């Protein structure tokens, strides 16, 4: 069987609680020195250990959402389907760790089979993937995987690591009519760099197999506690695997679907008829 | 700017370790879990149709005395209040202050509070314009508006009608 790659990528996210490598909050000036007192520690934790203010995180999440939408065909303005993904998604997020985020779920007008999540809890699923899915259990499995990336703050790796660092300038300059980076204010440039790093890091390097498996496991637990069939993600992945011939995009940074299926919790339970 | 200082990496390692805990608690009798919600109801029996015995605040410690056979309800004590709580509303580790998650539009620790629709921030709108992606920005706003129509009460009704979460039988 040819190599099949994972499609549920899951962008960035949950920026709060992560230490951003770009210097939006001034965190890069020396963590140890800045956390010299308990008071300072509390203040830093209040900013989510990121050095980002709420407003900065909102700006970053919003701009990343713009990038996701722009790169995947715009939003599929199907009111019924949008209401459905919001119902199922927010049923799940009632039990998420970051339940208090303003979770929003939308559809992308793309044949690609993929899903993403952005800081602030915006989750997007492509039309191609949505149409592959049948029951609410399957949809819940896919959405729970994206929610898990947010809940587990997997953006930390992209933000803090070296991923995407070399592509920032290219991305910033990619669109015709862009202002030259030098013309931007420091705050605006920081936003540009942050978005570029997140988007590029995700699209080129991804989260890595470990975090994808973690998100799968967390998604299983979340679906289960919410009362959805926890094997919904397994069913969805099987459908993805069976339909990859129709997929336009394959992320070679993700685990093979067959490997994910092997590692998903509940496999043995399923065989014994105890899947739910 | 060298942002990859050893201290930064240490901080990140600590964060990463803290992020590997389960979304929901895996409780044991005698153990402690923490409330993920403010005003979380404790019931007199392990179901959401029973009377409310009291409520607890966000991140409040709950001492487990009993777990029902399904494992989904915990009999807990918090201060002078004892009652049953749905396990999905508890966490193994004390949740951090999520004030910053609330984004200014809602005290979302209460799922019954209606959040205001929040269009793109001005900075993000400017970002979209700079990159020739204003249409994408409008699309994000459309999603926001449609999502906002799905009020918390509608989500709760869906959960209840479909016997999800604390309404499971």
């Amino acid at each position: 069987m040819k190599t099949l790659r994972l499609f549920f990528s899951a962008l960035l996210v949950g920026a709060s609680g992560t230490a951003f490598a770009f210097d939006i909050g001034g965190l890069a000036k020396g963590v140890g020195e800045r956390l010299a007192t308990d008071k300072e520690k509390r203040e830093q934790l209040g900013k989510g250990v990121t050095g980002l203010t709420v407003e900065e995180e909102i700006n970053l999440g919003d701009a990343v959402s713009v990038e996701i939408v722009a790169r995947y065909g715009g939003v599929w303005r199907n009111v019924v389907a949008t209401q459905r993904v919001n119902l199922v998604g927010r049923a799940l997020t009632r039990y998420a760790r970051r339940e208090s985020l303003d979770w929003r779920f939308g559809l992308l007008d793309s044949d690609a089979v993929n899903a993403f999540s952005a800081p602030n809890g915006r989750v997007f699923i492509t039309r191609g993937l949505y149409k592959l899915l049948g029951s609410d259990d399957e949809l819940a499995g896919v959405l729970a995987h994206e929610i898990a990336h947010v809940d587990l703050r997997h953006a930390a790796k992209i933000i803090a690591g070296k991923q995407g660092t070399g592509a920032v300038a290219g991305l910033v300059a990619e669109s015709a009519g862009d202002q030259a980076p030098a013309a931007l204010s420091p705050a605006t440039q920081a936003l540009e760099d942050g978005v570029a790093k997140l988007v590029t890091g995700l699209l080129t390097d991804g989260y890595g197999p470990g975090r994808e498996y973690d998100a799968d496991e967390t998604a299983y637990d979340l679906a289960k506690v919410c009362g959805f069939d926890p094997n919904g993600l397994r069913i969805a992945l099987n459908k993805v695997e069976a339909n990859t011939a129709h997929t336009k995009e394959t992320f070679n940074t993700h685990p093979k679907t067959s490997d994910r299926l092997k590692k998903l919790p509940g496999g043995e339970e399923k065989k014994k008829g105890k899947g739910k | 700017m060298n942002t990859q200082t050893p201290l930064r990496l240490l901080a990140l390692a600590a964060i990463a370790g803290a992020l590997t805990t389960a979304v929901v608690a895996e409780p044991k009798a005698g153990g402690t879990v923490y409330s993920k919600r403010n005003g979380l109801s404790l019931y007199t029996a392990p179901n959401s149709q029973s009377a409310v015995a009291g409520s607890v605040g966000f991140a409040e410690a709950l001492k487990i005395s009993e777990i029902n056979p399904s494992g989904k309800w915990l009999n807990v004590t918090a201060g002078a209040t004892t009652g049953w709580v749905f396990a999905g509303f508890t966490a193994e580790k004390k949740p951090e202050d999520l004030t910053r998650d609330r984004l200014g539009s809602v005290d979302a620790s209460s799922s019954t509070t209606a959040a205001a629709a929040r269009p793109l921030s001005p900075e993000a709108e400017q970002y979209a314009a700079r990159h020739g992606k204003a249409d994408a920005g409008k699309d994000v706003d459309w999603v926001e508006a449609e999502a906002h129509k799905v009020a918390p009460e509608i989500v709760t009704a869906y959960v209840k009608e479909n016997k999800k979460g604390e309404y499971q039988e």
Side-chain angles (χ1 to χ4, degrees):
Chain A
M1 184 171 59
K2 69 178 182 179
T3 299
L4 297 173
R5 300 296 182 184
L6 217 318
F7 306 89
F8 308 154
S9 91
L11 251 227
L12 2 157
V13 222
S16 84
T18 62
F20 285 68
F22 53 91
D23 194 11
I24 284 184
L27 191 62
K29 292 182 179 177
V31 173
E33 294 174 10
R34 291 173 58 84
L35 300 186
T37 68
D38 287 341
K39 180 175 182 294
E40 285 178 324
K41 288 178 183 176
R42 285 195 300 273
E43 289 172 349
Q44 188 60 65
L45 286 171
K47 295 181 80 174
V49 201
T50 65
L52 288 178
T53 67
V54 173
E55 290 73 21
E56 287 165 345
E57 186 177 346
I58 288 173
N59 294 340
L60 184 63
D62 283 358
V64 165
S65 297
V66 167
E67 286 290 346
I68 293 170
V69 168
R71 287 157 185 264
Y72 282 86
V75 162
W76 182 34
R77 296 193 177 196
N78 182 311
V79 172
V80 173
T82 301
Q83 288 179 345
R84 181 180 175 224
V85 294
N86 275 279
L87 267 180
V88 173
R90 285 166 57 193
L92 289 162
T93 59
R94 281 165 56 89
Y95 314 100
R97 177 184 303 175
R98 302 185 72 192
E99 175 256 348
S100 56
L101 277 174
D102 284 340
W103 294 92
R104 303 301 193 214
F105 298 82
L107 294 145
L108 300 167
D109 197 11
S110 168
D111 291 330
V113 178
N114 215 330
F116 306 93
S117 50
N120 301 351
R122 292 190 199 273
V123 174
F124 296 95
I125 176 174
T126 62
R127 174 174 37 75
L129 176 54
Y130 180 82
K131 289 193 169 182
L132 271 180
L133 306 175
S135 68
D136 282 359
D137 292 323
E138 296 167 38
L139 177 60
V142 170
L143 296 178
H145 177 95
E146 295 307 316
I147 292 165
H149 278 304
V150 179
D151 251 5
L152 298 173
R153 292 169 171 151
H154 283 164
K157 186 173 191 297
I158 287 179
I159 297 289
K162 294 181 179 178
Q163 292 167 295
T165 51
V168 171
L171 186 76
V172 169
E174 81 174 15
S175 298
D178 282 356
Q179 293 181 23
L184 303 177
S185 71
T188 302
Q189 187 60 56
L191 177 65
E192 293 282 348
D193 291 349
V195 174
K197 188 170 186 181
L198 284 170
V199 172
T200 306
L202 177 84
L203 296 179
T204 57
D205 298 332
Y207 285 126
R211 286 179 173 79
E212 293 296 338
Y213 296 143
D214 283 349
D216 281 348
E217 186 173 350
T218 301
Y220 180 93
D221 290 342
L222 182 57
K224 188 173 184 179
V225 77
C226 190
F228 288 105
D229 181 352
N231 289 300
L233 179 58
R234 175 182 301 280
I235 297 167
L237 287 175
N238 276 319
K239 287 187 175 180
V240 168
E241 190 171 32
N243 288 276
T244 47
H246 305 296
T247 303
K248 291 180 177 177
E249 298 190 7
T250 299
F251 289 359
N252 61 9
T253 56
H254 291 72
K256 294 179 182 177
T257 304
S258 55
D259 288 344
R260 282 181 75 185
L261 287 165
K262 286 177 189 170
K263 290 180 180 292
L264 262 177
E268 292 306 309
E269 287 182 1
K270 185 78 172 177
K271 289 176 186 172
K272 296 172 185 174
K274 298 177 182 176
K276 201 158 186 175
Chain B
M1 174 175 68
N2 177 16
T3 59
Q4 301 302 314
T5 64
L7 282 171
R8 172 180 291 278
L9 294 175
L10 279 173
L12 287 170
I15 294 165
L19 299 180
T20 56
T21 56
V23 169
V24 296
E26 294 180 8
K28 294 178 181 176
T32 299
V33 290
Y34 299 87
S35 167
K36 291 197 293 192
R37 290 184 152 202
N38 194 29
L40 178 62
S41 294
L42 304 187
Y43 295 93
T44 55
N47 64 74
S48 56
Q49 285 75 52
S50 60
V52 174
S55 64
V56 296
F58 176 75
E60 201 163 330
L62 311 172
K63 182 79 171 176
I64 305 170
S65 57
E66 186 182 351
I67 302 170
N68 84 328
S70 76
K72 292 176 178 173
W73 287 86
L74 316 174
N75 190 255
V76 299
T77 298
T81 305
T82 295
W84 291 89
V85 64
F86 180 61
F89 291 139
T90 67
E92 285 179 278
K93 295 194 174 182
K94 187 174 183 177
E96 60 188 270
D97 182 1
L98 295 180
T99 302
R100 68 188 314 278
D101 275 353
R102 293 174 188 147
L103 304 180
S105 61
V106 60
D107 176 6
S109 58
S110 167
S111 64
T112 59
T113 305
R118 188 180 60 76
L120 282 181
S121 70
E123 288 80 2
E125 278 191 11
Q126 292 163 14
Y127 174 91
R130 277 198 303 277
H131 290 266
K133 295 171 180 173
D135 286 346
K138 290 175 182 173
D139 272 351
V140 175
D141 281 345
W142 184 88
V143 170
E144 177 68 23
E146 289 302 313
H148 181 60
K149 292 177 184 173
V150 184
E153 293 76 15
I154 296 174
V155 177
T156 301
Y158 170 87
V159 170
K160 205 168 182 177
E161 183 180 337
N162 289 280
K163 296 181 170 50
K164 303 298 184 191
E166 67 272 35
Y167 300 102
Q168 294 174 71
E169 294 177 344

